[in-house]
Amino acid sequence: DSGVTQTPKHLITATGQRVTLRCSPRSGDLSVYWYQQSLDQGLQFLIQYYNGEERAKGNILERFSAQQFPDLHSELNLSSLELGDSALYFCASSVEGGPTDTQYFGPGTRLTVL
Amino acid sequence: GQQVMQIPQYQHVQEGEDFTTYCNSSTTLSNIQWYKQRPGGHPVFLIQLVKSGEVKKQKRLTFQFGEAKKNSSLHITATQTTDVGTYFCAGCRTSGTYKYIFGTGTRLKVLA
């Protein structure tokens, strides 16, 4: 158990819909990262937050948005969902969000778009 | 853009055989991390390499960072069934803001 929690575990929805994925970082961690892992694929970095502010952006689509709240939990919003958005979405956290930080991954949310 | 490639994509070995995965970046990295993801699980941090030419060992696992800091390798000696999973390298490049680019991963199957 990494100490990072993600809800829900599974999400099934239809094309065109909007969903919100939630992540709570490990106690004491200030930085949160979001990743997308499609079937048999690697991890695609989406976005990183540090203490409520966006720190780095990866290959995040315009239909996707995220934020980190004052209590440090984070939400990833996915809208106008397409079949290709079906994937495992991981959240990770680290202490300071620096380049040598260890990232601790949550169990992931499996999104299925029908 | 920056890419991090891993080879091989898949590897099946007999238990007791050695295994190596290679990670290559198109750009110089400031450091590299290795993660292991068991089937159905989430990535778990294994190790970090920072210095050029650095070699680190964890029991049967040996990690190397290339002299030019553009490639890395993970070698497992005498694989066991518990080594099954996908191994990812994650390269970090710092120029302004940094971000980690994960490699494509090597999926290891160990046959008993």
Side-chain angles (χ1 to χ4, degrees), chain A residues 2 33 35 37 40-43 45 48 55-58 88 90 94 97-108, chain B residues 9-10 30-31 33 35 37 40-45 48 50 88 90 92 94 97-105 107:
Chain A
S2 65
Y33 311 74
Y35 292 88
Q37 186 175 43
D40 292 338
Q41 296 294 311
L43 289 154
F45 169 69
Q48 180 201 0
R55 175 167 275 188
K57 218 167 187 175
L88 200 48
F90 285 108
S94 73
T100 57
D101 274 17
T102 297
Q103 294 181 49
Y104 295 89
F105 282 77
Chain B
Q9 193 175 359
Y10 300 97
S30 60
N31 55 289
Q33 296 181 344
Y35 290 79
Q37 184 176 17
H42 58 273
V44 175
F45 174 82
Q48 176 169 255
V50 180
F88 292 99
C92 182
T94 49
T97 58
Y98 79 95
K99 58 186 177 186
Y100 273 96
I101 305 295
F102 274 75
T104 44
R107 180 178 285 183

Side-chain angles (χ1 to χ4, degrees), chain B residues 26-79:
Chain B
S26 57
T27 56
T28 302
L29 303 170
S30 60
N31 55 289
I32 196 161
Q33 296 181 344
W34 284 91
Y35 290 79
K36 177 184 178 181
Q37 184 176 17
R38 291 182 188 274
H42 58 273
V44 175
F45 174 82
L46 293 176
I47 209 157
Q48 176 169 255
L49 304 169
V50 180
K51 298 176 189 173
S52 168
E54 189 170 13
V55 178
K56 284 188 177 180
K57 291 192 175 189
Q58 282 181 353
K59 297 182 181 177
R60 295 178 294 103
L61 277 60
T62 302
F63 302 83
Q64 287 190 316
F65 201 8
E67 293 290 339
K69 300 183 79 173
K70 293 177 83 170
N71 53 67
S72 181
S73 65
L74 157 59
H75 179 83
I76 302 178
T77 304
T79 54

Side-chain angles (χ1 to χ4, degrees), chain A residues 12-60:
Chain A
I12 302 175
T13 188
T15 54
Q17 295 297 304
R18 173 189 167 95
V19 296
T20 297
L21 313 183
R22 184 188 166 104
C23 168
S24 291
R26 288 188 327 153
S27 176
D29 284 0
L30 298 177
S31 193
V32 167
Y33 311 74
W34 285 98
Y35 292 88
Q36 180 192 57
Q37 186 175 43
S38 301
L39 192 63
D40 292 338
Q41 296 294 311
L43 289 154
Q44 295 294 319
F45 169 69
L46 296 178
I47 199 163
Q48 180 201 0
Y49 283 85
Y50 172 75
N51 206 20
E53 300 288 326
E54 182 184 304
R55 175 167 275 188
K57 218 167 187 175
N59 300 321
I60 188 165

